[in-house]
Amino acid sequence: GISGKSQLLFALVFTTRYLDLFTSFISLYNTSMKLIYIACSYATVYLIYMKFKATYDGNHDTFRVEFLIVPVGGLSFLVNHDFSPLEILWTFSIYLESVAILPQLFMISKTGEAETITTHYLFFLGLYRALYLVNWIWRYYFEGFFDLIAVVAGVVQTVLYCDFFYLYVTKVLKGKKLSLP
């Protein structure tokens, strides 16, 4: 029930976001967490496409990711903070993360249902991004920091999850299997 294409997009997100590993050192913790994010995302892709290939539902994971990557790539060149390679790639990662869940949501809509574990995974993935919104409000209020690119992308991603959140609360939390009407 997990979309390999969404997982590939998330691996691309973390790879392009954390290229600053080669240019700046903030702390051992920061470096370690970035490496863990990258390693876990590629390990997940490996598990889906190689180790557990027999259980992967490629017949339903048919979303055309080029419809996400090409516009996101173009937008990252047009709207960024600084026209430099690392900044464009960071911006690309922010924009791509906001839509990387679409292949997964498309897969669920195509099959009409999802396993409970998959729905829990998606709920917490969406909650993680919604908590970013809280972080940005906190940072603006206490630090005066505001990043329009990150906030708009976070709002877009949270809006994409809203329908799923509604189904999760009305069905899964009541002990029912997620099935689309």
Side-chain angles (χ1 to χ4, degrees):
I2 297 292
S3 167
K5 291 183 178 187
S6 273
Q7 297 307 312
L8 274 169
L9 292 176
F10 282 119
L12 184 58
V13 163
F14 295 129
T15 302
T16 55
R17 181 163 310 158
Y18 299 139
L19 287 173
D20 65 342
L21 283 168
F22 298 110
T23 61
S24 61
F25 179 80
I26 296 172
S27 70
L28 183 59
Y29 172 79
N30 183 279
T31 300
S32 299
M33 292 309 294
K34 288 177 179 182
L35 290 172
I36 288 169
Y37 265 98
I38 293 169
C40 286
S41 62
Y42 281 101
T44 302
V45 169
Y46 167 78
L47 291 172
I48 289 172
Y49 286 107
M50 300 297 201
K51 179 125 173 117
F52 299 111
K53 180 167 69 170
T55 65
Y56 171 60
D57 187 8
N59 293 330
H60 289 109
D61 194 12
T62 58
F63 190 91
R64 302 213 20 216
V65 295
E66 60 271 18
F67 291 145
L68 298 177
I69 293 174
V70 171
V72 162
L75 185 61
S76 64
F77 271 95
L78 296 173
V79 182
N80 53 60
H81 295 300
D82 177 36
F83 197 75
S84 67
L86 281 180
E87 183 63 30
I88 291 169
L89 288 169
W90 177 85
T91 305
F92 173 81
S93 77
I94 295 296
Y95 293 152
L96 185 60
E97 186 179 19
S98 70
V99 296
I101 198 62
L102 286 176
Q104 180 68 58
L105 296 176
F106 181 77
M107 187 174 175
I108 289 173
S109 72
K110 198 167 181 184
T111 61
E113 61 184 21
E115 296 294 325
T116 303
I117 190 73
T118 305
T119 59
H120 293 319
Y121 163 73
L122 290 173
F123 175 78
F124 284 104
L125 194 60
L127 183 62
Y128 139 82
R129 194 60 178 182
L131 288 174
Y132 261 97
L133 298 175
V134 174
N135 172 55
W136 294 322
I137 292 167
W138 176 271
R139 290 190 68 191
Y140 178 74
Y141 183 74
F142 289 103
E143 300 172 10
F145 178 79
F146 182 77
D147 184 346
L148 186 61
I149 289 172
V151 170
V152 170
V155 169
V156 167
Q157 186 173 17
T158 304
V159 166
L160 290 175
Y161 275 99
C162 283
D163 186 44
F164 175 79
F165 285 152
Y166 173 77
L167 291 172
Y168 183 84
V169 169
T170 59
K171 293 189 178 196
V172 177
L173 290 182
K174 293 182 179 178
K176 299 176 188 171
K177 187 175 185 174
L178 179 82
S179 58
L180 301 177

